[in-house]
Amino acid sequence: MNKNILITGGAGFIGSHVVRNFVNKYPHYNIINFDLLTYAGNLENLTDIDSKSNYTFVKGDICDEKLLAELFGKYNFDGVIHLAAESHVDRSITDPMSFIRTNIVGTVTLLNAAKIAWKDNWEGHRFYHISTDEVYGSLGSEGFFYEDTPYDPRSPYSASKASSDHLVRAYNHTYGMPIVISNCSNNYGPNQFPEKLLPLIINNIKNSKALPVYGKGENIRDWLYVEDHAHAIDLIYHQGKNGETYNIGGGNEWTNIKLVHKLCEIMDGKLNRTPGTSAQLITYVKDRAGHDLRYAIDCKKLESELGWAPTVTFDEGLEKTVNWYLQNIDWMQNVLSGDYEKYYLNQYQKR
Ligand code: NAD
Ligand code: TYD
């Protein structure tokens, strides 16, 4: 069946993988990628599909009510997959307001645009909100986040995402809007902006720069290859039950320091360096304020109800990821613009 689907934030890291998957897998869908192209949005992420006839890019802000009304009027969307967000915890600590604006006000503006365009006639419509496991707070050394774990966000980023999740659920409960939400663990893979741990460490090892590890490096994250997340999003968009939440995770927990050591080993091999060379770059720096200790997701619901499972092992995923960053030096140079350099100096000089 033909469908018009609005994907917000499609020029970012995860969004670009979601857009590519939908454009290639569903030639009968018309995919509209709506993105403001902030520092994190990059159309270079999509050069392989940008001439496809079922793909359109529109530059714009999810807080722009008028533009959204025009867009919904023009395309009569069947569904929305909402990824646009400010996504970096460290930036949320220095500039919370931009997170409130985009993640909260932007999400409500989008919900309103959909509600008005769909005229409260929900048949055949779906609003899918992409969220994070960080809304559940922080775990000790044991236990997991479940879909019904009470929300306990602890950074401006996670608090803004939690707020947007609540608003999406409120539109379902109050107006009956058909929604679905997923909360995913940390993603890694090609096209991730190099302010996040993996691409930052890979790029710094390549350039023999210090590898900043916050605190003692004992914080734990559960890593999932980005294409496995994109496949989960495809499945949930098409088969997820209305009003439900699905956790997505890799079942792949690593302390930051062990992960940085693993990247050092892989990169020593790739760069023909003597084993142990890159690890000498590891530098412990001041911890992140309010640094969550551990995230770990239980995603049995998604596995048992919709048959999803991650398909890329961590070894395979890291191999693909490292190779991609080493082969896409131009991409890295282009995103490391003057603005990012300023952010980097400001962020790490203080530590
Ligand atoms: P990203 O920062 O790489 O990309 C965000 C995109 O949103 C960019 O293309 C940016 O230009 C766009 N954007 C920002 N503000 C906008 C606005 N006002 N209007 C329109 N577009 C705007 O983020 P990501 O890592 O790809 O994350 C995508 C989504 O997935 C986010 O909602 C994030 O909370 C969620 N998520 C991310 C992870 C992760 O590990 N990266 C894990 C779980 C959930
Ligand atoms: P990040 O990629 O920012 O994702 P998130 O904070 O959303 O989990 O960070 C992943 C982990 O790595 C987190 O515990 C913070 C840590 N970290 C460092 O130790 N050094 C760094 O330079 C960065 C960016 C992150």
Side-chain angles (χ1 to χ4, degrees):
M1 199 178 65
N2 287 333
K3 278 185 198 293
N4 287 341
I5 299 179
L6 172 65
I7 301 184
T8 70
F13 167 47
I14 301 170
S16 60
H17 291 274
V18 174
V19 166
R20 174 177 300 103
N21 186 42
F22 269 74
V23 166
N24 287 333
K25 188 168 169 190
Y26 303 107
H28 51 297
Y29 288 4
N30 197 17
I31 302 299
I32 314 302
N33 172 10
F34 184 73
D35 195 298
L36 185 57
L37 299 182
T38 66
Y39 78 94
N42 183 354
L43 289 178
E44 258 187 87
N45 295 347
L46 290 165
T47 43
D48 56 323
I49 56 137
D50 67 4
S51 56
K52 296 249 175 169
S53 58
N54 64 333
Y55 171 70
T56 306
F57 173 73
V58 179
K59 183 171 184 222
D61 187 343
I62 52 166
C63 298
D64 187 338
E65 203 179 315
K66 191 165 161 273
L67 183 55
L68 283 177
E70 279 168 28
L71 206 65
F72 273 84
K74 180 166 177 190
Y75 291 104
N76 192 19
F77 294 116
D78 298 282
V80 176
I81 304 179
H82 176 37
L83 295 107
E86 289 293 340
S87 69
H88 188 40
V89 173
D90 290 321
R91 286 185 190 254
S92 82
I93 294 168
T94 47
D95 176 23
M97 202 48 99
S98 59
F99 286 68
I100 304 309
R101 182 186 179 277
T102 293
N103 299 357
I104 305 179
V105 178
T107 299
V108 187
T109 311
L110 191 61
L111 284 162
N112 279 340
K115 182 176 181 300
I116 292 166
W118 294 340
K119 301 187 177 71
D120 289 8
N121 172 7
W122 307 123
E123 191 58 37
H125 292 125
R126 162 154 280 188
F127 189 104
Y128 179 6
H129 178 59
I130 308 300
S131 192
T132 166
D133 61 353
E134 302 190 25
V135 298
Y136 297 120
S138 179
L139 292 164
S141 55
E142 309 238 313
F144 295 94
F145 296 135
Y146 299 89
E147 282 81 0
D148 59 0
T149 299
Y151 274 28
D152 183 23
R154 293 148 42 103
S155 73
Y157 165 64
S158 54
S160 68
K161 290 296 291 188
S163 177
S164 63
D165 293 10
H166 288 315
L167 284 157
V168 173
R169 283 199 191 96
Y171 272 62
N172 175 248
H173 183 79
T174 309
Y175 307 113
M177 181 182 281
I179 64 103
V180 68
I181 298 179
S182 58
N183 296 79
C184 189
S185 65
N186 286 59
N187 285 213
Y188 71 99
N191 301 112
Q192 188 168 29
F193 195 83
E195 64 187 353
K196 304 274 169 70
L197 183 68
L198 264 94
L200 187 148
I201 294 294
I202 293 168
N203 190 44
N204 284 15
I205 294 176
K206 182 174 163 289
N207 296 309
S208 298
K209 280 174 71 175
L211 310 180
V213 173
Y214 296 170
K216 294 185 179 150
E218 283 165 1
N219 303 68
I220 294 173
R221 298 292 183 264
D222 166 11
W223 294 95
L224 178 69
Y225 191 64
V226 63
E227 285 180 5
D228 276 329
H229 188 189
H231 292 142
I233 290 173
D234 177 6
L235 201 59
I236 293 167
Y237 179 76
H238 288 100
Q239 292 176 38
K241 278 199 210 124
N242 181 23
E244 294 281 318
T245 291
Y246 296 87
N247 280 349
I248 311 172
N252 177 37
E253 292 180 48
W254 286 76
T255 61
N256 293 335
I257 188 64
K258 263 189 91 176
L259 175 52
V260 170
H261 272 288
K262 191 170 174 70
L263 288 168
C264 287
E265 272 168 38
I266 298 173
M267 293 286 286
D268 280 343
K270 301 267 173 210
L271 300 170
N272 294 320
R273 291 180 181 164
T274 312
T277 308
S278 301
Q280 288 169 16
L281 298 166
I282 293 174
T283 308
Y284 290 95
V285 298
K286 189 169 159 230
D287 208 355
R288 171 185 283 171
H291 197 172
D292 286 341
L293 178 66
R294 173 171 169 257
Y295 304 140
I297 274 274
D298 178 294
C299 55
K300 284 198 199 73
K301 177 177 172 182
L302 180 62
E303 290 173 345
S304 63
E305 289 186 15
L306 301 188
W308 177 85
T311 60
V312 180
T313 66
F314 202 37
D315 282 340
E316 285 163 1
L318 287 180
E319 175 77 14
K320 284 182 191 217
T321 303
V322 166
N323 285 345
W324 189 86
Y325 287 101
L326 291 177
Q327 285 158 13
N328 288 275
I329 291 165
D330 288 352
W331 181 94
M332 185 61 84
Q333 269 162 2
N334 291 348
V335 297
L336 296 177
S337 66
D339 276 356
Y340 178 64
E341 209 157 298
K342 260 187 261 154
Y343 161 83
Y344 191 89
L345 288 174
N346 187 36
Q347 185 69 18
Y348 291 95
Q349 254 166 10
K350 299 185 298 211
R351 289 176 182 271

